[in-house]
């Protein structure tokens, strides 16, 4: 089954603090990509970070980093020095190849609140 | 960066009528576009994959005759909701795959979405 599980429907963090959002997924593929997307109230989907499954090194993008555990099929997102603008829904996703076409499968999302 | 637009951003239509939503890649060509549906406070559900010049591939459970997809050019895909009913009210998001930019993964860029309300 193609599933992405985000076990935290809601999270909150104090401004300037660090927060980690969890994500697990289920795939039988060996090569795939993992993503974290941010969806602010505007509803525009914004790519936060991408991880190639064949890379052992965890991806980082400024204040955003991931902890990728391939064997455990875990892909958590750490946000350091949280800012008010980080408040949004965060979706974990991964690529699935089906019928020669590659598509994204999304988790249900985690709503992040940043408290001043 | 690559930009994807959707038009309209909001639309209200009466039950039984049809409504068309456009998805355009503004500064790149997209051989593949995707249509998603998002219910309030829920995730994105892929409805169909649209390939330029060929028929769309629909996900299981999505009615092909109700959600007509046309990808007539490398920069435009349209989603037509036919004979719309209140249960079709939702947020529809498209994305366009920017081929040739990534090493192995062709980046998907998302449109801003269209809120459809059927009365």
């Amino acid at each position: 089954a193609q599933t992405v599980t985000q076990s935290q429907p809601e999270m909150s963090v104090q401004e300037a603090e660090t927060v980690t959002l969890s994500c697990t997924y289920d795939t039988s593929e060996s090569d795939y990509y993992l993503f974290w997307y941010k969806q602010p109230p505007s509803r525009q989907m914004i790519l936060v970070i991408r991880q190639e499954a064949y890379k052992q090194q965890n991806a980082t993008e400024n204040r955003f980093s991931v902890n990728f555990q391939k064997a455990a099929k875990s892909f958590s997102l750490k946000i350091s020095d949280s800012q008010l603008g980080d408040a949004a829904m965060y979706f974990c996703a991964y690529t699935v190849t089906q019928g020669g076409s590659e598509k994204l499968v999304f988790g249900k999302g985690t709503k992040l609140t940043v408290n001043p | 960066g690559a930009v994807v637009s959707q038009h309209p951003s909001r639309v209200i239509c009466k039950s039984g009528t049809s409504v068309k939503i456009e998805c355009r890649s503004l500064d790149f060509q997209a051989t593949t576009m995707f249509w998603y549906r998002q219910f309030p406070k829920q995730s994105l559900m892929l409805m169909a994959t649209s390939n330029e010049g060929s028929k769309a591939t629909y996900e299981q459970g999505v009615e092909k005759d109700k959600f007509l997809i046309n990808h007539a050019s490398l920069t435009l895909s349209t989603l037509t909701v036919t004979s719309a009913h209140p249960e079709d009210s939702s947020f529809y998001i498209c994305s366009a795959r920017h081929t040739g930019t990534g090493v192995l993964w062709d980046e998907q860029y998302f449109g801003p979405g269209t809120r459809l309300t059927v009365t």
Side-chain angles (χ1 to χ4, degrees):
Chain A
Q2 306 159 359
T3 58
V4 179
T5 302
Q6 294 181 246
S7 59
Q8 308 148 316
E10 296 188 22
M11 291 282 284
S12 63
V13 63
Q14 290 297 125
E15 195 175 3
E17 297 293 309
T18 296
V19 65
T20 299
L21 309 184
S22 66
C23 172
T24 58
Y25 58 94
D26 187 16
T27 182
S28 57
E29 300 181 19
S30 57
D31 292 328
Y32 50 91
Y33 295 82
L34 293 150
F35 306 84
W36 278 97
Y37 283 92
K38 169 184 178 181
Q39 188 180 42
S42 68
R43 307 292 291 271
Q44 174 72 56
M45 295 290 285
I46 301 166
L47 177 64
V48 174
I49 200 165
R50 174 179 67 237
Q51 173 80 42
E52 293 89 340
Y54 65 88
K55 288 188 176 178
Q56 291 187 337
Q57 186 174 6
N58 290 322
T60 61
E61 284 289 340
N62 300 312
R63 297 183 294 107
F64 299 88
S65 62
V66 298
N67 184 359
F68 173 47
Q69 302 290 329
K70 190 173 184 179
K73 297 180 181 175
S74 171
F75 183 61
S76 61
L77 174 69
K78 185 171 81 171
I79 306 174
S80 304
D81 186 25
S82 297
Q83 300 176 358
L84 295 177
D86 294 334
M89 283 291 291
Y90 285 82
F91 293 99
C92 176
Y94 76 108
T95 54
V96 170
T97 301
Q98 199 171 51
S101 178
E102 208 166 50
K103 62 180 184 180
L104 287 172
V105 176
F106 288 87
K108 292 184 182 298
T110 297
K111 182 180 180 181
L112 178 66
T113 301
V114 181
N115 300 310
Chain B
V3 178
V4 176
S5 70
Q6 277 185 246
H7 178 79
S9 57
R10 288 175 176 265
V11 58
I12 301 173
C13 70
K14 292 186 182 296
S15 186
T17 63
S18 296
V19 61
K20 180 185 287 187
I21 302 170
E22 292 186 348
C23 176
R24 291 182 185 274
S25 56
L26 297 186
D27 49 2
F28 66 97
Q29 293 183 334
T31 55
T32 303
M33 291 184 174
F34 302 87
W35 287 96
Y36 297 85
R37 184 173 181 176
Q38 186 178 30
F39 290 104
K41 298 184 179 181
Q42 293 194 26
S43 186
L44 280 73
M45 299 297 295
L46 179 65
M47 299 175 63
T49 301
S50 167
N51 292 297
E52 187 266 339
S54 64
K55 290 183 179 180
T57 302
Y58 291 81
E59 294 299 301
Q60 193 172 8
V62 177
E63 298 178 59
K64 301 178 183 181
D65 295 332
K66 181 165 194 57
F67 298 100
L68 299 179
I69 290 172
N70 187 313
H71 193 159
S73 78
L74 288 172
T75 59
L76 174 64
S77 177
T78 59
L79 168 68
T80 301
V81 183
T82 63
S83 187
H85 288 94
E87 57 265 31
D88 298 325
S89 298
S90 190
F91 194 69
Y92 293 87
I93 302 174
C94 74
S95 71
R97 176 176 285 161
H98 192 342
T99 57
T101 55
V103 178
L104 292 174
W105 164 257
D106 294 320
E107 191 74 53
Q108 273 192 42
Y109 294 90
F110 286 83
T114 296
R115 180 174 300 286
L116 169 64
T117 303
V118 184
T119 61

